[in-house]
Amino acid sequence: MNVLQRFPEIKEKVILSTCNRVEIYARVGNVDEGVRSLKDFIYKYHRIHDGELENYFYTYFTEDAIEHLFKVSSSLDSMVVGEPQILGQVKDAYTYAKERKATGMILNQLFEKAFSVAKKVRTETRIAENAVSISYVAVELAKKIFGELEGKTVMIIGAGEMSELAARHLISNGARNILVSNRTFEKAVELARELKASAIRFDSIEDELVRTDIVISSTGAPTFIIKKDMVERVIHQRRNRPIFFIDIAVPRDVEPAINEIENVYLYDIDDLQHVVDANVKEREKESQKAVKIVEKEVGQFLNWLDGLEIVPTITALREKAEAIRQKELEEAFSKLGSVSDKERLVIDNLSSAIVNKLLHTPTMNLKKQIESTDGHWYIKVVRHLFDLE
Amino acid sequence: MKFLFGVTLSCYLLGMAKYFLYLTIRRKILFIIATVFIAAGFVFHTGILVLRSIETGHGPYTTTFEYYTFFSWAIVLVYLVAEVRYKIKDLGSFVIPIAFISLAYAVFQSWHTETTEPVIRFWLTIHRTLSFIGYAALTLTFGVGIMYIIQEKQLKSKHLGAFYYRLPSLEVLDDINKKAVDVGFPLITFGFISGIIWAWQRDGYFSLDFKRTILMIITWTIYGTLLVISCMSCYEHHRFRCKSQDSTCRDQGEVSLWRKTCRGIIECPPKIP
């Protein structure tokens, strides 16, 4: 940030750097020079030869840049749409820049708006509602069965990486009593030590199931380890308290028929994947709604931005009209030769009245339209039509 | 009074419509508006009962019109308590319709008044108040039960629809149900007993309305069995956890007096180490 402060062309700046994106949001004096300065900064800062990264840059201006920032903070531009971390990262980047006085009126307003858009997207759409990874889905399901996972007992069968990951998720969600079982007892003891759990013998699984609420199974066994008759006995002993089996083994460790038993819930890896797929689709559907919200907000922000431009635009328009009038008057007077003061005054007033009356309606309409959603277009059109750039 | 009735019914209808709308469109404001309507309806509803009691000189317990009006009021009361306690936003969609139907049914009943002898009025009041609030608590278990069935079906079928995300967990629903039975069962039990005393006082001998008694016994038996089964399950689980020296053994949570008594009946004295 300190290096970037040295570039005079860059008036305001925020650097957003996450694991898969580096973006610089800037207000510049001259667009071309501004872009060049930003690229120079990146090359110099990272000590890379000029032009080497040219293919990896993307540049957005005004409207597209605003839309991009709104989409980034609303997590519409993330690899996993709807993930919650990005908003925090954008906030951190902005706070960092603001504390170093690198932002001004425009970027302050832009980022504050981006946060409110992100909040709006989150509350008005269900973009972040459903889990989109297998272990999160498993935790969500467990919560729908048991409410809070606080004090629930989890049994891990098979000391594999997948079961360890799922177990860690359950632990971070409050599950406290963890039992680890493996055909090789030593491996169970090892994993149990890592998870601060207790290791149990493979042949005592049925006995321990009576006090277990969630079972995660992922052994390489060719046949079922948990069978229907076993679970029927267990559920009877448990007095019908619910039990949730998560079978992430291929081939299956848990007999699918146990799902027919009352108060027994079984999800295998394919079931969990189906839920994930459905949730991803749901998020995509919701993201379309979110894009609409973003577009509307971009329009509003542009109007604010153009509001800053409207006064200069009208002034420029009037100045231009006045200049034309003066020029034409001079030409007319020189052609007429001797004109009395009274006649000169009448002609002057006439030309001034024509210009004023001609400009009155467009000026009023411009002021009125600037408040509508596509007001920024009017400014563009006026500037273009009268060549006010 | 008719005006108050119209206002109350409209409040409940609008509140109910907003709850249904909330099921599909998840806007918090809808839920808040719905609850405001229901609470306002409840105030007017209380007004109806007070006016009626002043008019008749006794509580609203004697005619069919009064039964249903009071029953509906008790359901809304229990619902509001559950709502404040559990904050389950979709409960209203399942419980308020019952209150609405009950009140709407009352409108079509005869609005005539009946007098009762002051001597037996005390036991009649006790009997009907306890019974109706008890029934209202059990009506709540009906609504919550439907929510439980829907949620369980979603989980079992593995096709997780909108209800899966909107309804609370099975454990929470089960917990509300247990608490509602904990409250409702003793109320209908005492309601039943006071009813016998009232009938005995009225007729001078032990007389029971056959139809009502049979229905009452069936209801009582069903809920009694439910309570005993759930107590046993809870107790066994607790005992097992203590046996296996589980750290949660001491964490008994909110155990009602009934459940403690139940434990005592099943295994007396409880051998909890």
Side-chain angles (χ1 to χ4, degrees):
Chain A
M1 185 58 80
N2 293 335
V3 180
L4 200 54
Q5 301 271 44
R6 284 184 223 136
F7 289 82
E9 202 50 46
I10 298 160
K11 314 285 185 207
E12 298 179 39
K13 53 251 154 194
V14 171
I15 304 174
L16 172 67
S17 175
T18 71
C19 52
N20 66 341
R21 76 170 78 233
V22 175
E23 288 175 352
I24 304 177
Y25 293 87
R27 181 175 74 82
V28 296
N30 178 292
V31 174
D32 293 334
E33 273 184 33
V35 172
R36 204 173 313 127
S37 302
L38 288 173
K39 285 182 181 172
D40 275 355
F41 158 70
I42 290 173
Y43 287 127
K44 279 192 186 131
Y45 188 77
H46 293 282
R47 296 198 185 98
I48 301 168
H49 293 298
D50 274 9
E52 217 167 277
L53 293 174
E54 222 44 49
N55 292 339
Y56 305 101
F57 283 132
Y58 48 89
T59 322
Y60 296 123
F61 302 102
T62 327
E63 187 175 351
D64 296 333
I66 296 165
E67 186 174 331
H68 182 71
L69 174 65
F70 287 3
K71 280 187 178 166
V72 168
S73 2
S74 314
S75 188
L76 291 167
D77 198 51
S78 303
M79 281 163 80
V80 178
V81 170
E83 53 96 5
Q85 285 90 354
I86 185 68
L87 181 61
Q89 290 165 334
V90 176
K91 276 185 180 165
D92 290 345
Y94 168 63
T95 315
Y96 185 85
K98 200 179 172 190
E99 278 168 1
R100 276 151 195 80
K101 300 198 168 32
T103 59
M105 185 179 75
I106 307 275
L107 284 196
N108 283 345
Q109 185 74 18
L110 177 66
F111 275 81
E112 293 298 340
K113 186 79 185 169
F115 304 145
S116 78
V117 172
K119 195 181 167 200
K120 200 170 183 187
V121 164
R122 210 149 276 255
T123 49
E124 290 185 13
T125 70
R126 290 188 289 121
I127 195 158
E129 213 166 71
N130 312 335
V132 285
S133 81
I134 287 189
S135 37
Y136 271 116
V137 166
V139 170
E140 234 176 41
L141 281 163
K143 280 187 174 170
K144 281 291 177 188
I145 297 168
F146 300 107
E148 290 307 311
L149 300 184
E150 212 77 24
K152 293 287 177 269
T153 304
V154 179
M155 184 195 286
I156 301 163
I157 307 174
E161 204 179 304
M162 276 288 266
S163 46
E164 190 189 326
L165 186 73
R168 284 192 192 280
H169 265 298
L170 290 167
I171 293 169
S172 65
N173 276 276
R176 283 291 164 265
N177 312 302
I178 316 288
L179 310 169
V180 183
S181 172
N182 198 58
R183 216 175 272 279
T184 331
F185 187 64
E186 287 69 34
K187 268 195 173 178
V189 174
E190 210 177 292
L191 180 61
R193 204 176 299 133
E194 268 181 49
L195 295 172
K196 292 186 187 131
S198 19
I200 53 163
R201 299 259 166 211
F202 205 70
D203 48 16
S204 65
I205 285 177
E206 183 172 342
D207 297 334
E208 297 292 347
L209 274 179
V210 181
R211 66 163 165 145
T212 306
D213 303 298
I214 302 162
V215 181
I216 305 166
S217 188
S218 70
T219 74
T223 52
F224 297 136
I225 293 172
I226 311 276
K227 292 190 180 127
K228 195 181 176 188
D229 53 340
M230 181 205 269
V231 178
E232 273 169 346
R233 285 192 298 273
V234 167
I235 205 78
H236 178 71
Q237 275 180 287
R238 285 173 66 86
R239 303 272 171 182
N240 284 311
R241 289 182 68 82
I243 183 164
F244 178 33
F245 289 92
I246 304 162
D247 184 2
I248 40 184
V250 180
R252 307 265 178 266
D253 280 346
V254 185
E255 192 177 346
I258 68 155
N259 197 44
E260 294 158 15
I261 306 170
E262 285 269 312
N263 295 311
V264 176
Y265 303 90
L266 165 67
Y267 277 73
D268 60 38
I269 188 88
D270 292 333
D271 300 328
L272 295 173
Q273 190 58 50
H274 282 313
V275 178
V276 167
D277 292 346
N279 288 355
V280 168
K281 258 190 209 155
E282 184 70 17
R283 280 197 182 191
E284 278 165 8
K285 220 163 70 189
E286 289 299 307
S287 73
Q288 287 168 5
K289 269 191 222 165
V291 167
K292 278 194 190 125
I293 295 175
V294 166
E295 281 169 1
K296 204 175 146 202
E297 298 287 334
V298 169
Q300 278 180 12
F301 187 78
L302 282 173
N303 288 347
W304 175 80
L305 214 53
D306 291 336
L308 301 175
E309 271 183 50
I310 189 162
V311 179
T313 303
I314 292 171
T315 315
L317 184 62
R318 291 221 159 253
E319 275 169 5
K320 183 157 192 172
E322 185 57 25
I324 293 169
R325 190 179 74 91
Q326 289 298 345
K327 199 173 155 250
E328 295 301 318
L329 270 181
E330 265 170 42
E331 272 180 28
F333 289 140
S334 69
K335 275 180 195 164
L336 284 171
S338 61
V339 183
S340 70
D341 280 354
K342 201 183 166 192
E343 283 166 337
R344 190 179 276 270
L345 191 67
V346 169
I347 295 172
D348 193 70
N349 282 347
L350 168 80
S351 64
S352 152
I354 291 173
V355 167
N356 279 342
K357 287 207 168 136
L358 210 57
L359 286 187
H360 177 75
T361 319
T363 310
M364 292 312 287
N365 281 340
L366 200 58
K367 280 182 182 164
K368 203 160 71 188
Q369 287 300 334
I370 200 70
E371 281 154 23
S372 71
T373 48
D374 48 7
H376 57 281
W377 286 111
Y378 281 81
I379 294 221
K380 273 202 182 109
V381 168
V382 167
R383 286 188 162 268
H384 187 70
L385 276 181
F386 294 94
D387 204 10
L388 299 176
E389 299 301 336
Chain B
M1 178 104 120
K2 277 199 173 154
F3 170 74
L4 264 185
F5 229 96
V7 174
T8 310
L9 264 178
S10 313
C11 279
Y12 288 165
L13 185 67
L14 287 168
M16 196 168 74
K18 289 278 185 297
Y19 277 134
F20 285 142
L21 210 59
Y22 180 72
L23 267 184
T24 47
I25 309 165
R26 307 302 275 184
R27 290 280 167 86
K28 204 179 167 192
I29 186 77
L30 281 175
F31 167 75
I32 294 169
I33 295 172
T35 310
V36 167
F37 270 121
I38 298 300
F42 183 71
V43 172
F44 293 124
H45 202 156
T46 312
I48 297 172
L49 294 180
V50 170
L51 284 179
R52 177 80 177 184
S53 300
I54 293 169
E55 191 186 332
T56 57
H58 55 78
Y61 318 112
T62 48
T63 62
T64 319
F65 165 76
E66 288 172 355
Y67 289 166
Y68 282 99
T69 313
F70 186 62
F71 179 49
S72 169
W73 180 85
I75 294 173
V76 179
L77 173 73
V78 170
Y79 163 74
L80 287 173
V81 171
E83 179 55 61
V84 170
R85 175 80 178 75
Y86 287 95
K87 299 186 173 54
I88 294 175
K89 297 194 169 82
D90 292 305
L91 193 58
S93 313
F94 295 87
V95 179
I96 294 301
I98 306 169
F100 177 76
I101 291 168
S102 169
L103 191 65
Y105 183 74
V107 177
F108 299 107
Q109 304 305 311
S110 160
W111 287 41
H112 74 277
T113 53
E114 264 177 32
T115 49
T116 54
E117 290 167 42
V119 191
I120 59 166
R121 199 174 289 161
F122 173 75
W123 283 108
L124 176 71
T125 308
I126 296 284
H127 163 59
R128 297 270 152 91
T129 309
L130 294 181
S131 301
F132 279 125
I133 295 177
Y135 284 141
L138 300 181
T139 306
L140 185 78
T141 69
F142 171 75
V144 173
I146 290 173
M147 289 166 88
Y148 188 98
I149 290 169
I150 294 172
Q151 185 63 290
E152 196 196 19
K153 276 250 179 288
Q154 298 264 314
L155 283 163
K156 278 273 186 192
S157 70
K158 300 175 185 177
H159 294 293
L160 309 177
F163 275 116
Y164 164 77
Y165 296 101
R166 280 157 201 195
L167 297 183
S169 66
L170 294 178
E171 177 121 336
V172 167
L173 293 171
D174 195 42
D175 187 45
I176 303 176
N177 246 352
K178 275 180 188 157
K179 296 221 166 97
V181 173
D182 280 351
V183 173
F185 186 73
L187 285 176
I188 60 165
T189 308
F190 289 126
F192 191 25
I193 296 166
S194 53
I196 295 170
I197 299 172
W198 164 66
W200 179 72
Q201 242 189 8
R202 181 190 58 190
D203 302 331
Y205 57 93
F206 190 72
S207 72
L208 287 174
D209 179 337
F210 184 70
K211 199 174 81 187
R212 270 191 205 165
T213 311
I214 288 292
L215 281 175
M216 182 69 212
I217 288 172
I218 291 172
T219 316
W220 191 86
T221 314
I222 290 171
Y223 280 100
T225 316
L226 189 75
L227 190 64
V228 170
I229 290 172
S230 108
C231 274
M232 279 172 75
S233 153
C234 180
Y235 178 66
E236 282 292 319
H237 181 74
H238 182 73
R239 204 174 51 139
F240 188 84
R241 288 211 144 161
C242 290
K243 250 193 207 167
S244 58
Q245 292 178 333
D246 201 314
S247 59
T248 54
C249 167
R250 266 166 239 103
D251 176 29
Q252 294 195 15
E254 288 174 56
V255 180
S256 72
L257 187 67
W258 270 94
R259 279 169 201 274
K260 281 184 190 152
T261 320
C262 250
R263 275 186 195 164
I265 297 165
I266 300 161
E267 191 168 314
C268 191
K271 290 170 194 158
I272 299 170

